[in-house]
Amino acid sequence: MEYNSIEHISGCFNNLPQEEIDFLGGKKTQVSYLKGETIFKQGAFAPHVLFVNKGLAMVYLQVGTSKQINIYIARQGDYIAFSSVFNVKTYQYSAVSLSDSVFCMIEKDALTEVIMRNADFAMQIAAKNNLNESRYLDIIKNLSYKQMRGKLASAILYLCSEEFQNDGIFQFLTRQDIADFASITVESAVKFLKEFEKDQLIRLKGKEIIVKNWQGLKELDLRG
């Protein structure tokens, strides 16, 4: 299957006039990435908004020289670095391809023009990106007051959510990745995963994590 267009993937483009779709089509560059390749680095110049045509990308924040906080996973139909349309000059985080992936790099000035000309499109694209807000709030709560078990429960609930049900997400993640979603050490992540399994909250099957007790995990997440 070819991924030469953007409108067939995301509902945000459905209501755009064909001339606007053609305009955006002329202002994009399609780029393929292999699993593990860096898509962009935090602090680099940000001339594009990236649209995920195919595959998965992990978005993360580099803190200091050694700590990484995984923020979210972008999948087909999602945007990355959308803040660049608001005159943000550099990427605020980094992104790496979790699987072999295809991205459309859309010139931010072109996307801004289309947003300004199409109110419905602007509302749709803003609503789509607003879905990340609850994820950011969860990260703030995790860092602010939760203990390690609560942090890991929160990370598992996110990674096992319906959003990723058909993506086989754990085949692309290491235990270090999971630890970085929870903002704990990998040693602690491995330890508490085994404890969660013993408590029958989850089942470990190779790299996969299967939730057995959603309510128990949610209560652990709430208690922090």
Side-chain angles (χ1 to χ4, degrees):
M1 180 178 180
E2 295 296 326
Y3 292 88
N4 293 323
S5 62
I6 52 180
E7 70 274 10
H8 75 287
I9 297 293
S10 175
C12 289
F13 294 98
N14 288 344
N15 296 324
L16 275 180
Q18 187 59 47
E19 60 266 25
E20 297 284 37
I21 294 174
D22 293 340
F23 172 72
L24 286 177
K27 299 293 185 178
K28 71 173 178 62
T29 301
Q30 182 172 282
V31 182
S32 297
Y33 292 89
L34 297 176
K35 178 182 178 181
E37 280 196 278
T38 296
I39 301 166
F40 57 79
K41 289 288 289 181
Q42 181 177 326
F45 181 61
H48 299 100
V49 174
L50 284 84
F51 178 82
V52 186
N53 260 349
K54 177 188 176 185
L56 299 165
M58 184 161 64
V59 175
Y60 64 93
L61 189 67
Q62 192 71 42
V63 182
T65 58
S66 58
K67 185 171 178 57
Q68 176 175 313
I69 300 173
N70 291 342
I71 305 173
Y72 68 92
I73 293 174
R75 54 197 298 275
Q76 182 175 293
D78 289 339
Y79 298 90
I80 312 177
F82 189 76
S83 59
S84 66
V85 303
F86 299 106
N87 208 30
V88 176
K89 302 295 185 183
T90 60
Y91 292 118
Q92 304 299 292
Y93 42 68
S94 299
V96 62
S97 185
L98 282 179
S99 63
D100 293 350
S101 304
V102 180
F103 296 83
C104 275
M105 302 176 70
I106 307 170
E107 294 178 19
K108 65 179 182 180
D109 291 340
L111 189 58
T112 301
E113 285 184 39
V114 173
I115 289 171
M116 295 294 290
R117 291 196 293 257
N118 297 270
D120 288 344
F121 174 65
M123 288 297 294
Q124 290 172 24
I125 202 170
K128 188 172 182 65
N129 282 278
N130 190 55
L131 293 175
N132 287 327
E133 182 175 330
S134 62
R135 176 63 191 155
Y136 300 148
L137 293 175
D138 281 343
I139 292 171
I140 292 170
K141 287 187 290 185
N142 286 347
L143 293 175
S144 299
Y145 73 87
K146 287 185 181 178
Q147 302 297 316
M148 287 189 287
R149 286 171 60 89
K151 290 180 179 181
L152 184 58
S154 178
I156 293 172
L157 287 170
Y158 170 67
L159 295 171
C160 292
S161 64
E162 186 176 354
E163 179 181 0
F164 304 116
Q165 190 172 23
N166 298 319
D167 292 317
I169 197 72
F170 288 105
Q171 66 180 300
F172 304 110
L173 298 174
T174 66
R175 290 299 190 246
Q176 181 66 64
D177 292 328
I178 295 169
D180 289 338
F181 272 107
S183 297
I184 62 178
T185 66
V186 67
E187 293 82 9
S188 295
V190 171
K191 172 188 173 183
F192 289 124
L193 283 173
K194 291 178 181 177
E195 288 187 9
F196 287 2
E197 185 174 43
K198 183 179 179 181
D199 295 339
Q200 299 187 5
L201 295 171
I202 63 172
R203 180 163 69 91
L204 301 176
K205 184 180 179 181
K207 296 184 67 176
E208 190 174 1
I209 299 174
I210 302 165
V211 176
K212 295 181 65 179
N213 185 346
W214 286 95
Q215 188 58 39
L217 273 182
K218 289 176 181 177
E219 289 176 1
L220 186 56
D221 174 35
L222 288 173
R223 290 199 309 268

